[in-house]
């Protein structure tokens, strides 16, 4: 039974790799291979590469002085945080909110098998993130300190222990979120706030990491002695990577015990949580004066309602709403110093500091992309706009309008902060304002285009259209790639035509592409939406 | 009111609807009967403009669905077989959303919401999110939404599924009233007793093809509708 459920669960997780929703058929072998290669490049190349670089720095400083255990302790901590962070948002919905809960619970399937199959998908996601950080660290250590049988076996055991700790942490956090959300009225907003606090803490440590690493290498012996004295078991944990068999055995046993405890908690509460309707009070209906609205306004309100009803949606498609004002404030406080440093670094390319600020703003606005998911999120409700007397382009306009309303005000705030700090001539300032604003419009058009072009209507968990689909990956990574090109082209040839000329060129390009994409949405896109 | 002529719809190799023609006049309750997979839902979805069809024409209140889809949709209301409504909205927000799209004046919509929500005993739950509704409550909400803009034609796919006996009774009365005031209703059902008592005309579809149509008397003669249906199915 478990095998069948796991197969179903994995088929759902990796559906997009095997199945082409657009053509409604299985992908070819080459296409499947290409999708997996793309995924591998992102995970191993991009994330893994970053951690490999960090590992080399740390390992070279720690391994030769016999502090390999401290290196493993640090890298394990990073892998655990990354793994748990990467899958925390997925855990709650994967474990408890799947649409097939009722169907599976009504069948003669042991609840334990359902939980186990769900846990496997959570485990895979957590392992994926943890591996991106820990596997490079392990390989770097083997290369730097030399490989022995003990180091190899214990290293692999440590890796497995880390993946299980990630799973346990994700489950506990998912369980806590589930317990809390059953008692909350404004679940989505509170979940967003709690998650943002977590993200804030994460990035705080992330940005401090470089200094911490340097400090750690310089004072490795001192810190090492302190940890040995006050947290002996952390020392033993790190020792596993160095080939300490007894430590590996002890921590394997402890992890197994923790696994059993978490399993007990989940098994006891799973049914209650999945079948509970929550304990919020019933809202009494009181007739109020109704305001008549246009069809567009009505659809726009509907899009807002959809966005604010889901913490998952807000967090994954609206994070930039908070990051942009934060960036604006950062520039207001430290902008002059940051620009001075950047100008000093890039003296050969005048104006590159301003280009980098624009790039940062564009990259941040790429993180607001509800329009990419919103067509797919219609899901089984698609019959409503299709059967109503409303032109598909009005529906698509409402979806695009949501993104513009969410992204233009924070972008405006950020560009005002940026221009307040910059000492450039007025024409340059205007262009520095214009580019991020045009990019905001372009991202909206690009996201809307992808949403209509590559929709996934038949999903069982809203996480699929929100964060696990090709269109959302292209919307984010594609937009980031364009911002990278924007900066890179300036370094390459843009500086020759001057900052105003270069920004004008991009303004024309962004405006032209936005117009083309919006035109497509109004014509072919509308027809496509009609036929979904 | 609804004229379907030579409608054909294929899914890959399979013809789901094959050269089907129907004509529903004002004042008629027209039942649509057939086994599972006979092509009822495909015909209905094609007739309301959700599905593109391969051949044939659909005319609603004199307007071609292909040439003037929005004009046609303004004159009709559709209730699907499974009332998947916007779960994140409350019942009242959904009704106002529909009323806004059809530009129903505020006073008129409030009066209708009051009338039908009271009739279906749903008033107390209108402020609740639709996600908290049972299947039957969603069905009632879909019915109220359908009646909100006084459509000329109402197309329903299995409208009685999930409704309690009282609500079913009210819906039947509403259907009759609607047709008596010049409207038309086209609906599919598996409940042959309901069709027999309620419908003025009936069409039986098999493997996408229309096998029998006409007034209830013409179709069933002295037999029951169930006997006629089973006989046709056996052929």
């Amino acid at each position: 039974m478990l095998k069948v459920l796991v197969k179903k669960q994995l088929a759902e997780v990796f559906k997009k790799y095997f199945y082409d929703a657009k053509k409604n058929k299985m992908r070819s072998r080459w296409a499947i291979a290409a999708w997996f290669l793309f995924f591998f490049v992102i995970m191993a190349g991009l994330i893994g590469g970053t951690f490999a670089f960090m590992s080399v720095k740390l390992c070279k400083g720690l391994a030769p002085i016999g502090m390999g255990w401290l290196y493993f302790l640090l890298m394990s901590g990073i892998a655990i945080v990354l793994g748990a962070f990467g899958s925390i948002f997925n855990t709650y919905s994967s474990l408890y909110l799947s649409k097939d809960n009722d169907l599976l619970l009504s069948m003669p399937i042991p609840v334990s098998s359902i939980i186990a199959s769900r846990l496997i998908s959570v485990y895979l996601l957590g392992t994926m993130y943890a591996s991106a950080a820990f596997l490079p660290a392990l390989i770097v250590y083997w290369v730097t300190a030399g490989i022995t049988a003990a180091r190899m076996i214990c290293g692999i055991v440590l890796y497995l222990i880390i993946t299980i700790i990630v799973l346990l942490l994700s489950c506990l956090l998912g369980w806590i979120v589930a317990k809390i959300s059953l008692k909350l009225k404004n679940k989505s907003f509170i979940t967003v706030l709690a998650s943002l606090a977590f993200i804030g803490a994460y990035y705080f440590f992330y940005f401090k990491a470089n200094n911490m690493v340097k400090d750690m290498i310089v004072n490795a012996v001192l810190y090492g002695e302190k940890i040995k004295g006050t947290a002996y078991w952390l020392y033993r944990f790190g020792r596993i990577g160095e080939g300490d068999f007894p430590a590996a055995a002890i921590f394997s046993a402890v992890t197994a015990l923790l696994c059993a405890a978490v399993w007990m908690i989940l098994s006891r509460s799973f049914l209650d949580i999945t079948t509970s309707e929550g304990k919020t009070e019933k809202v009494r209906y009181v007739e109020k004066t109704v305001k008549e609205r246009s069809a567009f306004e009505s659809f726009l309100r509907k899009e807002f309602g959809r966005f604010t009803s889901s913490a998952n949606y807000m967090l994954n498609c609206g994070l930039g709403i908070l990051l942009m004002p934060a960036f604006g404030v950062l520039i207001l406080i430290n902008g002059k110093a940051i620009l001075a440093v950047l100008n000093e670094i890039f003296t050969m390319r005048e104006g590159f500091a301003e280009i980098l600020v624009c790039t940062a703003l564009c990259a941040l606005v790429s993180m607001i992309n509800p329009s990419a998911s919103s067509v797919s999120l219609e899901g089984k409700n698609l019959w409503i706009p299709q059967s109503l007397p409303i032109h598909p382009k009005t529906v698509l306009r409402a979806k695009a309008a949501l993104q513009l309303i969410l992204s233009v005000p924070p972008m405006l705030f950020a560009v005002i902060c940026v221009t307040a700090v910059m000492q450039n001539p007025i024409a340059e300032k205007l262009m520095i304002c214009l580019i991020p604003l045009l990019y905001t419009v372009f991202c909206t058009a690009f996201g809307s285009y992808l949403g209509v072009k590559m929709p996934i209507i038949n999903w069982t968990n809203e996480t699929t259209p929100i964060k696990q689909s090709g269109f959302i990956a292209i919307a984010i990574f594609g937009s980031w790639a364009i911002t990278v090109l924007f900066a890179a082209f300036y370094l390459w040839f843009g500086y020759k035509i001057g900052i105003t000329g270069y920004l004008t060129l991009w303004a024309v390009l962004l405006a032209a592409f936005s117009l083309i994409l919006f035109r497509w949405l109004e014509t072919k896109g509308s027809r496509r939406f009609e036929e979904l | 009111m609804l004229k379907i002529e030579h409608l054909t719809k294929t899914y890959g190799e399979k013809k789901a609807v094959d050269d089907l023609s129907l004509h529903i006049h004002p004042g008629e309750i027209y039942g649509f009967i057939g086994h599972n997979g006979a092509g009822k839902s495909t015909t209905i979805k094609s007739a309301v403009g959700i599905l593109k069809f391969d051949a044939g024409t659909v005319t609603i209140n004199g307007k071609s669905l292909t040439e003037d889809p929005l004009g046609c949709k303004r004159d009709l209301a559709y209730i699907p077989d499974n009332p998947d409504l916007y779960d994140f909205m409350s019942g009242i927000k959904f009704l106002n959303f529909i009323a806004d799209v059809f530009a129903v004046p505020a006073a008129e919509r409030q009066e209708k919401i009051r009338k039908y929500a009271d009739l279906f005993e749903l008033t107390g739950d209108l402020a609740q999110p639709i996600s908290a509704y049972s299947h039957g409550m969603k069905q009632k909400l879909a019915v109220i939404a359908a009646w909100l803009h006084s459509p000329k034609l109402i197309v329903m796919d299995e409208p009685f599924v999930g409704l309690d006996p009282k609500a079913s009774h009210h819906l039947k009365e509403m259907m009759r009233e609607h047709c008596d005031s010049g409207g038309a209703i086209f609906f599919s059902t598996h409940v042959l007793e309901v069709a027999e008592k309620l419908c003025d005309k009936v069409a039986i579809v098999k493997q996408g093809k229309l096998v029998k149509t006409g007034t209830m008397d013409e179709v069933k003669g002295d037999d029951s509708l169930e006997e006629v249906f089973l006989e046709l199915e056996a052929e």
Side-chain angles (χ1 to χ4, degrees), chain A residues 415-490:
Chain A
V415 291
I416 288 169
C417 294
V418 164
T419 44
V421 170
M422 283 181 169
Q423 302 295 319
N424 303 55
I426 194 83
E428 277 181 22
K429 272 193 177 184
L430 275 175
M431 290 313 293
I432 292 165
C433 283
L434 187 64
I435 288 291
L437 286 167
L438 275 175
Y439 200 73
T440 307
V441 177
F442 170 77
C443 282
T444 305
F446 186 47
S448 304
Y449 167 79
L450 292 169
V452 179
K453 193 80 181 163
M454 318 165 65
I456 294 175
I457 304 297
N458 300 314
W459 41 266
T460 49
N461 189 320
E462 69 169 16
T463 309
T464 307
I466 288 172
K467 65 185 277 196
Q468 292 175 341
S469 299
F471 56 81
I472 199 81
I474 296 174
I476 297 174
F477 293 114
S479 305
W480 281 347
I482 294 168
T483 61
V484 171
L485 289 179
F486 170 71
F489 284 164
Y490 187 80

Side-chain angles (χ1 to χ4, degrees), chain B residues 137-198:
Chain B
M137 287 161 81
K138 284 183 189 174
Q139 188 71 8
K140 288 176 185 177
L141 194 69
V143 169
I144 299 171
W147 255 259
L148 214 50
H149 67 284
S150 310
K152 293 186 172 75
L153 170 71
I154 298 175
V155 181
M156 298 182 282
D157 201 349
E158 295 288 345
F160 298 103
V161 174
L163 289 183
D164 56 61
K166 201 172 167 186
S168 290
H169 172 75
H170 290 315
L171 177 59
K172 284 177 217 164
E173 280 186 339
M174 283 163 67
M175 288 164 75
R176 179 45 62 202
E177 272 172 30
H178 177 76
C179 291
D180 289 346
S181 58
I185 282 176
F186 179 47
F187 78 104
S188 72
T189 183
H190 286 297
V191 192
L192 299 180
E193 292 81 5
V194 170
E196 196 167 348
K197 283 180 189 160
L198 194 64

Side-chain angles (χ1 to χ4, degrees), chain B residues 101-112:
Chain B
V101 173
F102 282 98
V104 181
E108 188 185 330
R109 78 173 74 165
Q110 273 187 312
E111 188 204 318
K112 281 190 176 163

Side-chain angles (χ1 to χ4, degrees), chain A residues 282-283 285 287-288 290 292-293 298-299 302 305-306 309 378 380-381 383 385-390 531, chain B residues 50 70 73-74 80 84-86 88-89 92 96-97 100 102 105-106 109-110 114 123-125 128:
Chain A
K282 186 177 171 178
V283 189
Y285 171 64
E287 199 178 288
K288 290 177 194 156
V290 181
E292 289 168 37
R293 292 187 171 86
S298 214
F299 266 89
K302 179 224 123 187
R306 182 71 183 88
S309 70
E378 291 282 347
K380 287 180 178 171
N381 297 139
W383 70 271
Q386 284 181 336
S387 67
L388 290 176
I390 181 158
E531 288 164 14
Chain B
I50 290 179
L70 297 191
K73 286 174 186 178
R74 265 181 219 113
D84 287 308
L85 311 176
Y86 294 127
F88 55 91
M89 284 186 183
I92 188 67
N96 276 314
F97 167 77
D100 282 333
F102 282 98
R109 78 173 74 165
Q110 273 187 312
R114 208 178 298 133
T123 309
D125 295 296
Q128 289 289 99

Side-chain angles (χ1 to χ4, degrees), chain A residues 16-64:
Chain A
K16 62 178 176 290
Y17 294 92
F18 295 100
Y19 172 74
D20 186 346
K22 198 171 126 191
K23 293 177 186 162
N24 196 20
K25 64 176 188 182
M26 297 304 282
R27 293 185 194 279
S28 69
R29 276 185 189 176
W30 287 108
I32 293 170
W35 272 99
F36 274 101
L37 185 70
F38 170 73
F39 176 71
F40 180 78
V41 168
I42 294 286
M43 288 308 291
L46 216 71
I47 306 176
T50 313
F51 284 104
F53 182 71
M54 187 179 173
S55 302
V56 171
K57 237 162 114 181
L58 261 175
C59 196
K60 275 187 179 167
L62 295 176

Side-chain angles (χ1 to χ4, degrees), chain A residues 24 29 64 80 138 177 206 246 254 275 305 337 354 394 401 426-427 434 455 507:
Chain A
N24 196 20
R29 276 185 189 176
I80 289 168
L138 201 56
V177 171
Y206 180 81
V254 171
T275 54
E354 285 81 354
T394 313
I426 194 83
L434 187 64

